Amino acid sequence: MTLHANTIKLFAGNSCPSLAKAIAIKLKTDLSDCLVSKFSDGEINVNILETVRGCDVFVIQSTSQPVNDHLMELLIMIDAFRRASAGRITAVMPYFGYARQDRKAQARDPITAKLVADLLTSAGADRVLTMDLHAPQLQGFFDIPVDHLFGIPVLVKALQKDPFIKNNPAELAVVSPDVGSVARAREMAKRLNVSLAIVDKRRQKANESEVMNIVGDVKGKRCLLVDDMIDTAGTIVKAAKALIEVGGATAVYGCCTHPVLSGEAIERLRASVMEKIFVLNTIEQPLNSALDKIVEISVAPIFAAAIESIFADLPLSRLYE
């Protein structure tokens, strides 16, 4: 069993400094001093500027884009803490990149999620704290404990304050944008005590466009699309359009845990029929990607509470009671 002193230290890489600072404020402490930069040839350079010997170290770093840079920063920081005799090292990863590469979809495919799990363990991490893995069974890829937080309760708390949800819940339906997100949408519908629908897309023949079918009644209803992440936004935007044009919905909102927003996602969301998109700040957005439709909700309170529980060796289940 790894021992740790009665000292907690928070460190942050370059992927989500604002969230790291917010977590530190919630914990009534400061971020510890370190410098994460690059050498002239692009290699990552890490300087830990204070002692961590025997301390309980938490490294806050989402492996968001640029994914490889942020992943290498995290691995090198963990290695530095291990070599500096940290008592225990927890990788706090609000967003776990490479999670979608979790199986061999085709012959000779890599299972990169397992590789990243092994790299974190080899670097010296004693524990991982993350939120809404793309597939919950990824926890089994690790040979170290994984504390898995849920984004739905955080989203529900914010959504219940919005007039779209609060006013006349009988007219509301939660919708899964595809079959893969049904479990998540079902949990949201259960917590909001509303009906559930699914957007089923299929291609009837080769070279024909996809046909969107709505499983469930959304006619005349306000719909809330729920997904774990929005990447290029293609799926959720098409689903929103189908809800209006095929299902007869009157309005559509969207929500997700991880706003990856790569490629043309911002432009697609801006032009979509969705009135508002609620996202958690597990991934820090560049300033030039601002979109009025997006409402950002902070996960700092739940991550701060989780860090407190880990430090005190208390169960994380108490966060949801």
Side-chain angles (χ1 to χ4, degrees), residues 252-264:
V252 182
Y253 268 31
C255 70
C256 76
T257 301
H258 307 300
V260 179
L261 306 183
S262 64
E264 299 177 1

Side-chain angles (χ1 to χ4, degrees), residues 210-225:
E210 289 176 330
V211 176
M212 298 283 194
N213 297 309
I214 313 298
V215 181
D217 181 23
V218 298
K219 188 174 178 63
K221 291 191 175 183
R222 295 169 290 116
C223 293
L224 174 66
L225 281 160

Side-chain angles (χ1 to χ4, degrees), residues 103-296:
R103 67 195 184 284
K104 291 182 69 170
Q106 302 178 57
R108 297 173 296 281
D109 273 0
I111 303 180
T112 319
K114 169 59 174 167
L115 173 62
V116 172
D118 289 344
L119 287 170
L120 287 164
T121 306
S122 297
D126 295 297
R127 179 182 293 271
V128 170
L129 172 62
T130 189
M131 175 173 273
D132 277 3
L133 289 167
H134 187 64
Q137 60 267 28
L138 260 65
Q139 296 172 74
F141 286 9
F142 289 85
D143 295 324
I144 55 176
V146 176
D147 289 310
H148 188 217
L149 300 177
F150 302 106
I152 291 293
V154 184
L155 285 164
V156 167
K157 193 173 180 181
L159 285 163
Q160 285 176 329
K161 298 174 184 176
D162 191 274
F164 184 87
I165 306 294
K166 193 164 57 174
N167 297 343
N168 201 354
E171 294 179 0
L172 181 68
V174 167
V175 183
S176 173
D178 54 29
V179 175
S181 295
V182 172
R184 191 170 282 103
R186 186 184 291 118
E187 178 64 20
M188 176 70 83
K190 179 182 175 183
R191 286 176 176 270
L192 292 174
N193 195 27
V194 298
S195 60
L196 174 68
I198 304 164
V199 177
D200 176 43
K201 58 182 180 182
R202 63 186 69 186
R203 201 180 303 273
Q204 307 288 10
K205 295 180 182 177
N207 300 320
E208 284 189 3
S209 60
E210 289 176 330
V211 176
M212 298 283 194
N213 297 309
I214 313 298
V215 181
D217 181 23
V218 298
K219 188 174 178 63
K221 291 191 175 183
R222 295 169 290 116
C223 293
L224 174 66
L225 281 160
V226 181
D227 213 343
D228 67 320
M229 69 173 69
I230 299 176
D231 188 352
T232 61
T235 297
I236 198 165
V237 164
K238 287 177 184 176
K241 185 178 180 183
L243 288 170
I244 298 289
E245 296 181 358
V246 179
T250 57
V252 182
Y253 268 31
C255 70
C256 76
T257 301
H258 307 300
V260 179
L261 306 183
S262 64
E264 299 177 1
I266 293 293
E267 288 71 24
R268 286 179 180 142
L269 292 173
R270 184 176 283 114
S272 76
V273 297
M274 283 185 287
E275 296 178 14
K276 201 179 285 187
I277 304 108
F278 287 82
V279 303
L280 302 184
N281 64 338
T282 57
I283 297 174
E284 198 149 313
Q285 300 301 318
L287 294 174
N288 59 0
S289 68
L291 177 63
D292 291 342
K293 288 184 179 182
I294 291 181
V295 178
E296 196 173 72

Side-chain angles (χ1 to χ4, degrees), residues 42-149:
E43 291 181 1
I44 307 295
N45 179 34
V46 171
N47 295 112
I48 309 301
L49 303 175
E50 58 184 82
T51 183
V52 295
R53 184 175 294 272
C55 297
D56 207 354
V57 171
F58 293 83
V59 196
I60 303 166
Q61 178 87 329
S62 280
T63 47
S64 51
Q65 56 184 315
V67 182
N68 297 332
D69 282 359
H70 289 155
L71 176 58
M72 280 304 298
E73 283 183 15
L74 178 58
L75 293 172
I76 294 169
M77 289 177 78
I78 291 170
D79 181 76
F81 295 130
R82 178 173 63 88
R83 295 177 188 279
S85 301
R88 182 170 62 175
I89 305 165
T90 301
V92 181
M93 305 173 69
Y95 170 68
F96 182 87
Y98 283 111
R100 286 172 283 182
Q101 298 184 42
D102 63 339
R103 67 195 184 284
K104 291 182 69 170
Q106 302 178 57
R108 297 173 296 281
D109 273 0
I111 303 180
T112 319
K114 169 59 174 167
L115 173 62
V116 172
D118 289 344
L119 287 170
L120 287 164
T121 306
S122 297
D126 295 297
R127 179 182 293 271
V128 170
L129 172 62
T130 189
M131 175 173 273
D132 277 3
L133 289 167
H134 187 64
Q137 60 267 28
L138 260 65
Q139 296 172 74
F141 286 9
F142 289 85
D143 295 324
I144 55 176
V146 176
D147 289 310
H148 188 217
L149 300 177

